[in-house]
Amino acid sequence: MRKTISILGCGWLGAELGKKLMSKGYIVKGSTGTAGRYNELEFSGIQPFYIRIKPESVVIDYFSFFNTDVLVIAIPPKRVENISDIFPGQMGQIIKLIRQLKIPKVLFISSTSVYEATNSVVREGEEGNTEKPSGQAILKAEKMLQEEEGLQTTIVRFGGLIGANRNPARFLAGKQNVPGNVPVNLIHRMDCVNIMTDIIEKDIWGEVLNAVSPEHPTKKEFYTKASEVTELPAPGFVETPVKYKIINSDKLIQRLGYTFKYPSPMDYLKELQEWAYRI
C-alpha cells in the first residue's frame, strides 16, 4: 500500500522534498498559506492544501491533509516580536491535530540556531543556551514534540540553506566590516532532500540529527568566491574576532550511512561557476 506524506510548509525546501518522494511512489500532500503557491503545488503533482497556523487557531480548507503516515513540519519561526512565545503556540495547535488524527510519525525541520556560539565544535545534546529568540522558539517546539506521548519524532537541524536558485553572494554583496574568519555552517538543498528522504525510507525515528556540510570554509573564503562567480560586489571583510560555532554532523552520517553530495559549500560555487561559463 502506498504511503502518504504530508508536508506542512511546502515552500522552497518542502516542495523539492515532495517532488523527490513522488518520484519514489509516495502520495504527497503539501500545505501553503498563499494562493499563488497553491497553484504551483497543484501543477507539480503535489496535492495542495491551504493552511495557516496561528498560536490560537488553525485556518484550513480540508482536514484530510492530516490523514497521513508521516507529517513533515517545515515551517520556520518568523522574525517577529515575541516569536519565542508565538512559535510554540503554533506548535501546540499542530500537536492538537496530530492527536485528533492520530498521526504516528513526525519529521520536524529544525535549525542550528538552537546552538550557542562557543568558539568550538558543537554536537547534538549541547544546545540550550542560544540567545537568538528564533533558537529559543525552536527548542521549545522540539521539546513539545519529543514529549508528546505515542508520537515518534525525528528532528533534523539544518544549517544555512544554499543551492538551486539561491545566490549566496547577494546576502553580503557590497557590505563592509564583515568579520571574515568565521567558519560557515551551510548545506545544499539536494543534501537536505536526500537526508529527509532517507529518514522516511529507513524509518529513522526518535533521533535528533545535525545536518550541515562536513567542511566549513571561512565566511571570507566562501563569500569572496561566491561574489566572484556571480559577479556581485564582494563584501569588505575585517579580522575582528567574533564568536562562532562549528556544527558537527557525524551522528547523521553514521546513523543514516549518508554521503554528502556537497561535502563542502565550495562545491556548490564550483557548480555555479561552471554553469556561468556555459551560458
Side-chain angles (χ1 to χ4, degrees):
M1 188 174 177
R2 294 172 70 195
K3 285 189 176 181
T4 299
I5 313 295
S6 292
I7 304 172
L8 185 62
C10 215
W12 185 81
L13 179 59
E16 200 66 17
L17 171 63
K19 293 172 188 175
K20 172 93 173 200
L21 291 171
M22 283 192 302
S23 74
K24 289 178 166 286
Y26 291 88
I27 298 167
V28 179
K29 303 173 184 178
S31 83
T32 181
T34 61
R37 190 71 187 158
Y38 187 100
N39 294 332
E40 288 177 25
L41 293 179
E42 189 170 35
F43 183 75
S44 72
I46 296 172
Q47 296 178 26
F49 290 78
Y50 180 86
I51 302 175
R52 293 187 67 188
I53 309 293
K54 300 179 180 180
E56 65 284 347
S57 65
V58 176
V59 179
I60 186 169
D61 50 3
Y62 299 105
F63 280 93
S64 58
F65 173 85
F66 289 96
N67 289 326
T68 187
D69 296 295
V70 177
L71 175 64
V72 180
I73 303 175
I75 49 169
K78 295 181 179 179
R79 295 181 182 179
V80 295
E81 194 175 351
N82 298 326
I83 192 59
S84 58
D85 295 320
I86 292 171
F87 192 65
Q90 292 174 298
M91 190 56 61
Q93 295 296 327
I94 295 168
I95 289 172
K96 285 180 185 177
L97 291 166
I98 289 171
R99 287 181 196 148
Q100 290 172 16
L101 279 298
K102 296 181 171 55
I103 296 172
K105 298 171 183 176
V106 165
L107 175 54
F108 179 59
I109 307 310
S110 183
S111 164
T112 55
S113 65
V114 301
Y115 294 106
E116 182 183 8
T118 57
N119 295 344
S120 63
V121 176
V122 292
R123 296 173 173 83
E124 299 87 348
E126 298 175 348
E127 63 283 340
N129 296 316
T130 179
E131 295 179 359
K132 289 185 176 181
S134 61
Q136 296 168 10
I138 291 171
L139 274 178
K140 288 180 183 178
E142 285 186 0
K143 188 175 181 182
M144 292 170 72
L145 288 166
Q146 289 170 316
E147 292 179 347
E148 183 63 19
E149 190 175 345
L151 180 64
Q152 296 183 70
T153 298
T154 283
I155 293 162
V156 184
R157 295 170 175 161
F158 286 129
L161 302 179
I162 58 175
N165 58 346
R166 285 194 172 179
N167 177 4
R170 67 184 176 84
F171 295 110
L172 294 178
K175 291 188 176 180
Q176 300 301 311
N177 301 313
V178 178
N181 290 329
V182 182
V184 298
N185 296 288
L186 302 173
I187 183 168
H188 195 281
R189 183 173 70 170
M190 184 178 294
D191 280 312
C192 294
V193 168
N194 290 344
I195 287 165
M196 291 186 286
T197 302
D198 274 5
I199 289 169
I200 292 168
E201 293 209 301
K202 295 178 180 180
D203 251 3
I204 307 294
W205 304 106
E207 295 284 5
V208 178
L209 303 168
N210 292 337
V212 173
S213 291
E215 296 179 28
H216 305 266
T218 65
K219 188 174 283 189
K220 182 177 181 180
E221 290 171 328
F222 181 76
Y223 287 99
T224 298
K225 184 65 175 178
S227 299
E228 176 188 322
V229 301
T230 59
E231 299 183 349
L232 284 176
F237 291 101
V238 293
E239 303 298 315
T240 307
V242 295
K243 284 191 172 184
Y244 65 87
K245 58 194 174 189
I246 298 174
I247 307 297
N248 180 283
S249 297
D250 287 352
K251 182 182 175 184
L252 176 139
I253 292 168
Q254 292 165 9
R255 187 72 178 86
L256 298 183
Y258 187 72
T259 300
F260 276 80
K261 173 73 174 174
Y262 295 85
S264 170
M266 303 301 287
D267 297 330
Y268 173 54
L269 299 183
K270 292 176 188 174
E271 190 177 271
L272 277 182
Q273 190 170 32
E274 290 170 2
W275 179 83
Y277 284 142
R278 288 199 298 267
I279 63 173

